[in-house]
Amino acid sequence: MEYKFRDIEQKWQKTWTEQEVYKVPNDTTKPKYYVLDMFPYPSGAGLHVGHPLGYIASDIFARYKRLKGFNVLHPMGYDAFGLPAEQYAIEHGVHPAVSTAKNIKTFRSQLDKIGFCFDWSREVNTSQPGYYKWTQWIFLQLFKSWYNRLNDKAEPIDQLVAIFEDNGNRDHPIPDNNFQIPDYPHVTFTAEAWNSFPEKTKQAILMEYRLAYCGVGEVNWCEALGTVLANDEVVNGVSERGGYPVVKKKLRQWYLRITEYADRLLKGLETVDFSDAMKEMQSNWIGKSSGAEMDFAIAGHQDDVLRVYTTRPDTIFGVDFMVIAPEHELVERITTTEQKKQVEEYIAYVKSRSERERMAEKKISGVFTGAYAVNPFDGKQIPVWISEYVLAGYGTGAIMAVPSGDERDHKFARYFNLPITNIIGDAYNGEEANPTKDVKLSNSGFLDGMVMRDAIDVVINKLEEMGIGKRHVNYKMRDAAFSRQRYWGEPFPIKWIDGIAYPLEENELPLELPFVESYKPGPEGEGPLANIPEWTNRHLETNTMPGYAGSSWYFLRYMDPHNEQTFCDKKWSDYWRQVDLYVGGTEHAVGHLLYSRMWTKALYDLGYLSFDEPFKKLLNQGMIQGSSRFVYRVHGTNQFVSAGLKDQYETDDLHVDVTIVDGVELDMEAFKSLKPEYAEATFILENGKYICGSEVEKMSKSKVNTVNPDHIVERYGADTFRMYEMFLGPVEMSKPWDMKGIEGVHRFLKKLWRLFFDEQKGNLVTTGKATAEELKVLHRTIRKIEEDTERFSYNTAVSAFMVCVNELTDLKCHKQEILEPLLVLLTPYAPHISEELWHQVGHSTTILDAAFPKFEPKYVMETTKEYPVSINGKMRTQIVLDLNATQEEVQQIVLDNPVIQKWMEGKVLKKFIFVKGKMVNVVI
């Protein structure tokens, strides 16, 4: 009986679907285990062999835990809203709902061919009204909540209103202390003042407290395209698509007040099993620092002060210049007439740059405003500059620059020839800054002789005493922008009436996205919904939610996907609780993970969940890289030179589709048919062949180095594909896709098959009693597979299977007692062949319901040992001895050995040394 993998895999995939073997009940009688993949965006390109890496890793573990007796939740769905679908729709004239549905169908087909154990009855699609109804509902909970800093949790906004009615906001200051209450000169108000405010003023104040709030933010506006662009769509001040000018524009934006959760997000990292690198990325993004806010007077501007935040107030006497963000509100007021033209030109330049470009810029730039700040301790006048590397949204949008202690400040001072004050004596060499805190201060007034780190508190106390500063904890993280001027996203359940945002009633949800024919932007940078009279007549919000809205809580919907009364019944979230294993790429290290963690904490605060961290353990799979191929076109011609000869010509290096290259040899006729321009191509060959260049790069469509998993599954089968992806190397490491070893994995499965069947003899399986050696092989494998699977060392597990099958083949073992447990071990890795052989040996129920084999140490305990035997300390031979043999028995065996007798040559035994388990020495 031949191993017909195609027939076997199609048969079992069909059977598993019909029998719903992967349908997971909410069964509280069993221990639970929740395995989750970061769900995909269904792009038109479909899957390449790099995409399933994480899915296979999670699938193996889900199957393994099921065999271990757990009720395993392993769902799948689609992150279907977002910018890529809308861009595709614009470019191809297809509605995003249509293209998304088509792409999902392709993805599902590809995933099914690989044989994943997803419970498709729980599938979610973020663009379906039944799903985004609850995204809108959660948004409303955030909109109707505020963060009570005294209780360190989110609470209903109605409770805040009651506090204001009784006590004003004395105990609960406005989070943004720069907010100006409309028609009211203060940021603090009494109960009487609150009760006298008109409704519009009250709502404006409440908006400053809400967890989901609306404000005015800067966006990248492209007039030529008539749309707002994301930061990564802007390159050097122009649109990536078309190269049109982009400027900063202020538009109404929604935000999530994630900054209120900054400390809890940091503390939560101590309770989760993320890699140190992942924790560091999140910590750095949050960017907590302690220091002081302090005010500097501006010479000649009695009513203006420049507020800076610094972590190093001890360096106050080393401040040689100030740098403020070009967007800072003081720029216009303090810039002198002489500097006005230069400042305006510089600001125009900065407006064309994204924040990302500004932060990454290595070139030093800036301009002097003509104004001077005054050092409060010695009266020194400090020039105020503006530069793009200071951002308005970070800290106070202003820094005090200490060149002797900060390298960036040092380079700035050197570039513009500004004087540098040395406050650290010999620790500053004049060539580079020294950020030390451990030397004694000099040139520092009342701080002279004090160790820098000890001076920090002294200066802060002095600032507070003088009333010009205070202790302050700062965070680099900003509130999360939560709106897009796009069409393909969740509509906000908000109405605007007389400038006030009113939430829709919950029974009005879902607010469905209307069908549109055109995706052109609305007036003044608004989204396409602003072009629909039926929408604007109802005063509905014209922005839509960003792509991460639906993905911030999807893991909860999988627990209770068909509930129409709530996003997830608490009974089921109490059962499934956190995701036990979350598998996904490091590209989501910051955004998605932080937003999911914040949403979970908010729902916990409001009583909807009983846990406040969404993911217990995170496994980041590496990337499967592509092995790209290149052809070399002789510059200015249609002639292509082989790789070994290219250095003799001036060439253009071009990617070529890897599917028309055999190893590195180009199929020249296939190449000619790729594009019309190649039809008349000629080739300069080496030894009659065109040899391509190669390079390992990211696998992507643009580099035409993708490999479709469908082709691999068709040629070798899903089980071979699954095991080979794991065999390539550790899951968390990136590695190039290479077909060289796949034949070996396929041969392994055929060899396994031959333990059960012979093409001539048929069924080989017997019911005979296993030998000690066979049991040793089996239980050694059980221990190895269990250990490797638990630590996700799947590549070494695949190797262990190969060793096991080789050893059983050598032992000519066809015994059911050995082979059945081996199939159960193999099931997570190669489910189709395991299921087929399980039934072939007589079982009628699925192997998925079998129990994982129990390791028995007694079967792997050694009963004999090969001892080195020495004569007078020099090893002469090795003898296998029973581990339980006595010294007398060992001595008799050794002295009777012909090799030992030869070396003794009749000499008298002086001493016999036997160290049990180690060695034997015969002294003559």
Side-chain angles (χ1 to χ4, degrees):
M1 185 175 172
E2 188 184 348
Y3 172 41
K4 297 181 179 178
F5 60 87
R6 294 186 189 90
D7 296 342
I8 289 168
E9 291 176 357
Q10 289 172 15
K11 165 188 167 184
W12 286 111
Q13 287 169 10
K14 184 172 183 287
T15 302
W16 291 332
T17 300
E18 290 172 350
Q19 295 180 358
E20 296 184 325
V21 296
Y22 299 134
K23 192 168 184 177
V24 181
N26 283 347
D27 180 2
T28 56
T29 63
K30 293 176 86 174
K32 71 90 186 183
Y33 200 88
Y34 190 172
V35 180
L36 182 63
D37 298 280
M38 293 185 183
F39 70 165
Y41 172 77
S43 72
L47 295 173
H48 61 61
V49 293
H51 293 124
L53 179 68
Y55 302 156
I56 296 170
S58 66
D59 195 72
I60 288 171
F61 207 76
R63 289 174 183 272
Y64 166 74
K65 295 303 278 190
R66 177 169 173 171
L67 293 170
K68 280 286 194 174
F70 288 83
N71 188 28
V72 181
L73 178 57
H74 187 214
M76 178 51 76
Y78 302 101
D79 192 7
F81 268 139
L83 179 61
E86 187 164 345
Q87 290 297 103
Y88 184 89
I90 292 170
E91 290 164 10
H92 295 84
V94 180
H95 194 278
V98 174
S99 59
T100 299
K102 180 184 175 185
N103 295 343
I104 284 175
K105 188 176 179 181
T106 301
F107 262 58
R108 174 66 187 271
S109 170
Q110 290 185 291
L111 292 171
D112 284 347
K113 286 174 185 172
I114 303 171
F116 293 116
C117 64
F118 297 129
D119 179 358
W120 286 108
S121 72
R122 294 173 181 261
E123 176 186 337
V124 301
N125 175 337
T126 59
S127 67
Q128 292 296 314
Y131 180 87
Y132 67 72
K133 166 185 179 177
W134 298 108
T135 307
Q136 292 172 335
W137 181 88
I138 295 173
F139 169 81
L140 288 182
Q141 309 319 303
L142 298 174
F143 179 77
K144 295 176 184 177
S145 303
W146 67 295
Y147 201 87
N148 187 336
R149 294 178 179 177
L150 299 182
N151 296 338
D152 203 18
K153 59 178 288 198
E155 294 177 358
I157 200 83
D158 292 344
Q159 293 181 15
L160 181 63
V161 172
I163 291 170
F164 288 169
E165 289 173 348
D166 292 340
N167 299 301
N169 74 338
R170 178 192 60 204
D171 299 324
H172 301 283
I174 295 170
D176 178 4
N177 57 18
N178 293 318
F179 173 72
Q180 296 295 310
I181 298 172
D183 303 318
Y184 192 76
H186 308 294
V187 294
T188 304
F189 51 82
T190 62
E192 292 75 21
W194 170 263
N195 292 322
S196 68
F197 288 149
E199 181 64 14
K200 195 165 186 176
T201 299
K202 288 181 177 179
Q203 290 300 328
I205 293 170
L206 291 176
M207 189 66 88
E208 293 300 310
Y209 286 86
R210 297 183 188 275
L211 283 183
Y213 68 94
C214 203
V216 174
E218 279 199 328
V219 296
N220 302 310
W221 172 250
C222 179
E223 184 68 37
L225 294 175
T227 189
V228 171
L229 300 176
N231 282 339
D232 54 7
E233 295 176 290
V234 182
V235 180
N236 295 324
V238 299
S239 63
E240 187 178 39
R241 181 163 56 94
Y244 301 112
V246 176
V247 297
K248 293 290 184 183
K249 184 170 186 171
K250 290 193 173 182
L251 288 178
R252 181 166 52 74
Q253 301 284 297
W254 285 92
Y255 297 89
L256 298 183
R257 209 176 292 279
I258 193 172
T259 48
E260 295 289 354
Y261 282 91
D263 269 332
R264 285 172 63 185
L265 289 168
L266 280 173
K267 288 174 186 171
L269 291 175
E270 299 169 12
T271 69
V272 294
D273 186 2
F274 293 4
S275 69
D276 289 341
M278 178 66 69
K279 289 182 178 182
E280 185 178 0
M281 278 189 275
Q282 293 213 352
S283 296
N284 289 343
W285 185 263
I286 294 166
K288 182 178 181 179
S289 62
S290 299
E293 273 191 355
M294 56 188 299
D295 292 336
F296 288 82
I298 305 291
H301 294 265
Q302 189 173 353
D303 296 330
D304 288 318
V305 294
L306 179 59
R307 177 166 294 171
V308 303
Y309 169 77
T310 177
T311 59
R312 297 294 305 275
D314 54 304
T315 63
I316 182 65
F317 288 95
V319 180
D320 289 315
F321 58 96
M322 299 288 189
V323 185
I324 62 178
E327 307 90 342
H328 198 288
E329 59 178 4
L330 282 180
V331 172
E332 191 175 342
R333 297 205 295 271
I334 67 173
T335 298
T336 61
T337 305
E338 296 79 11
Q339 295 298 113
K340 188 170 176 146
K341 185 172 184 295
Q342 280 184 274
V343 168
E344 287 176 347
E345 287 173 353
Y346 186 73
I347 289 175
Y349 155 74
V350 173
K351 277 187 175 178
S352 70
R353 312 260 287 159
S354 71
E355 281 193 6
R356 187 177 302 176
E357 287 172 321
R358 287 169 60 178
M359 293 302 287
E361 181 61 71
K362 296 288 188 285
K363 191 176 75 175
I364 297 168
S365 71
V367 63
F368 178 41
T369 63
Y372 292 85
V374 180
N375 189 313
F377 293 123
D378 62 7
K380 174 183 171 183
Q381 293 212 333
I382 307 167
V384 181
W385 287 67
I386 63 172
S387 178
E388 66 174 331
Y389 78 84
V390 178
L391 303 176
Y394 289 83
T396 62
I399 65 163
M400 57 182 222
V402 182
S404 63
D406 181 275
E407 189 56 32
R408 192 163 197 172
D409 297 345
H410 193 271
K411 288 177 178 176
F412 193 96
R414 286 283 191 217
Y415 187 83
F416 287 108
N417 200 27
L418 301 175
I420 297 175
T421 303
N422 180 9
I423 57 171
I424 52 177
D426 293 342
Y428 174 59
N429 61 13
E431 298 300 321
E432 57 189 0
N434 185 345
T436 180
K437 290 182 181 178
D438 298 313
V439 301
K440 290 182 179 179
L441 285 158
S442 58
N443 293 323
S444 294
F446 66 93
L447 300 176
D448 273 356
M450 194 176 293
V451 175
M452 300 179 86
R453 67 175 65 252
D454 296 336
I456 292 174
D457 274 344
V458 173
V459 175
I460 294 175
N461 291 337
K462 192 79 171 172
L463 291 170
E464 290 182 331
E465 182 185 311
M466 295 168 67
I468 58 170
K470 61 181 180 180
R471 288 176 198 280
H472 192 74
V473 174
N474 200 39
Y475 299 90
K476 191 170 74 172
M477 180 171 66
R478 302 293 91 193
D479 282 340
F482 194 68
S483 57
R484 301 288 184 267
Q485 292 71 39
R486 298 285 187 174
Y487 165 72
W488 192 238
E490 298 91 340
F492 283 93
I494 294 289
K495 283 185 176 181
W496 288 93
I497 300 173
D498 190 26
I500 299 173
Y502 290 100
L504 297 188
E505 296 296 327
E506 291 177 10
N507 61 14
E508 296 180 80
L509 303 181
L511 173 60
E512 293 197 25
L513 189 66
F515 187 90
V516 299
E517 295 291 345
S518 168
Y519 311 107
K520 69 178 184 180
E524 294 302 311
E526 291 183 77
L529 294 180
N531 297 321
I532 304 173
E534 295 84 353
W535 194 265
T536 56
N537 290 344
R538 294 165 62 192
H539 308 290
L540 293 166
E541 171 65 71
T542 57
N543 287 330
T544 53
M545 297 187 201
Y548 70 82
S551 63
S552 291
W553 72 281
Y554 74 109
F555 74 99
L556 296 168
R557 189 60 176 173
Y558 282 138
M559 300 176 184
D560 194 13
H562 308 298
N563 195 326
E564 296 182 2
Q565 308 307 313
T566 183
F567 73 100
C568 179
D569 192 312
K570 198 162 184 292
K571 176 182 177 182
W572 301 126
S573 62
D574 282 348
Y575 171 59
W576 291 111
R577 295 182 66 80
Q578 294 163 284
V579 173
D580 295 282
L581 175 65
Y582 196 25
V583 181
T586 53
E587 66 270 21
H588 302 294
V590 176
H592 162 64
L593 286 174
L594 281 175
Y595 302 142
S596 289
R597 295 178 63 216
M598 181 237 170
W599 283 45
T600 302
K601 291 179 188 300
L603 290 169
Y604 168 80
D605 289 350
L606 298 172
Y608 297 110
L609 296 176
S610 52
F611 53 90
D612 76 340
E613 281 290 342
F615 315 118
K616 265 189 185 177
K617 180 174 181 62
L618 182 64
L619 176 66
N620 292 123
Q621 86 272 13
M623 183 188 298
I624 288 194
Q625 298 157 315
S627 184
S628 299
R629 295 293 179 266
F630 294 88
V631 292
Y632 304 98
R633 183 168 59 195
V634 178
H635 188 66
T637 74
N638 202 17
Q639 193 172 41
F640 294 81
V641 58
S642 189
L645 306 173
K646 75 179 184 69
D647 290 344
Q648 301 173 26
Y649 302 84
E650 183 184 351
T651 61
D652 302 318
D653 301 358
L654 307 175
H655 282 90
V656 66
D657 192 334
V658 295
T659 62
I660 64 166
V661 182
D662 183 6
V664 290
E665 184 181 347
L666 179 70
D667 181 334
M668 291 177 281
E669 290 306 313
F671 177 76
K672 286 182 174 184
S673 64
L674 277 181
K675 297 180 180 179
E677 64 195 81
Y678 295 160
E680 302 301 320
T682 58
F683 301 92
I684 303 172
L685 309 178
E686 44 185 319
N687 301 319
K689 297 178 180 178
Y690 188 98
I691 304 302
C692 296
S694 63
E695 184 179 334
V696 173
E697 302 181 285
K698 180 180 179 181
M699 190 174 280
S700 73
K701 193 176 178 183
S702 65
K703 302 181 191 302
V704 285
N705 62 0
T706 60
V707 179
N708 190 327
D710 293 2
H711 300 158
I712 309 299
V713 170
E714 171 61 26
R715 185 172 174 185
Y716 295 103
D719 285 339
T720 297
F721 175 65
R722 290 165 63 98
M723 294 195 79
Y724 184 59
E725 285 240 335
M726 297 300 98
F727 190 54
L728 282 171
V731 172
E732 66 277 10
M733 301 292 289
S734 291
K735 49 262 178 189
W737 175 260
D738 186 349
M739 290 289 286
K740 278 187 296 191
I742 199 166
E743 290 280 1
V745 175
H746 195 56
R747 283 196 301 271
F748 152 73
L749 291 175
K750 288 180 176 179
K751 200 167 189 177
L752 169 76
W753 185 267
R754 288 196 295 271
L755 290 175
F756 292 80
F757 290 101
D758 182 272
E759 289 185 20
Q760 279 75 42
K761 298 177 184 176
N763 193 339
L764 299 174
V765 180
T766 67
T767 57
K769 184 70 177 165
T771 66
E773 192 60 33
E774 290 166 344
L775 286 166
K776 183 190 289 187
V777 171
L778 173 65
H779 282 271
R780 209 163 45 209
T781 306
I782 292 171
R783 177 174 61 187
K784 177 69 172 162
I785 298 304
E786 186 166 8
E787 289 175 353
D788 286 356
T789 305
E790 285 283 356
R791 58 193 178 92
F792 312 107
S793 184
Y794 298 141
N795 58 318
T796 55
V798 174
S799 296
F801 279 124
M802 293 175 173
V803 170
C804 174
V805 168
N806 286 338
E807 290 179 343
L808 292 179
T809 300
D810 291 342
L811 292 170
K812 294 182 172 56
C813 176
H814 305 291
K815 292 167 184 167
Q816 194 163 344
E817 183 183 354
I818 300 296
L819 298 182
E820 277 194 7
L822 176 59
L823 289 178
V824 179
L825 288 179
L826 186 64
T827 293
Y829 293 80
H832 306 87
I833 193 172
S834 301
E835 188 79 83
E836 175 68 17
L837 292 173
W838 181 255
H839 281 73
Q840 289 290 346
V841 296
H843 293 279
S844 57
T845 57
T846 176
I847 195 171
L848 289 166
D849 292 334
F852 195 85
K854 190 175 187 303
F855 169 65
E856 296 284 356
K858 64 183 179 183
Y859 293 121
V860 298
M861 289 177 63
E862 299 293 341
T863 58
T864 62
K865 176 176 173 59
E866 191 172 57
Y867 282 82
V869 181
S870 302
I871 295 180
N872 287 354
K874 194 165 186 179
M875 196 184 89
R876 297 302 183 186
T877 189
Q878 293 181 313
I879 301 175
V880 176
L881 299 169
D882 192 308
L883 283 171
N884 295 316
T886 64
Q887 174 143 344
E888 291 74 17
E889 291 170 332
V890 170
Q891 182 170 331
Q892 187 64 51
I893 293 168
V894 170
L895 295 179
D896 288 345
N897 184 276
V899 176
I900 298 302
Q901 288 179 349
K902 175 191 166 189
W903 282 102
M904 288 182 70
E905 293 180 341
K907 292 177 182 172
V908 178
L909 175 67
K910 187 174 181 182
K911 192 175 184 181
F912 187 86
I913 302 168
F914 170 54
V915 180
K916 191 167 186 176
K918 290 191 176 179
M919 51 76 73
V920 174
N921 188 22
V922 178
V923 183
I924 57 175

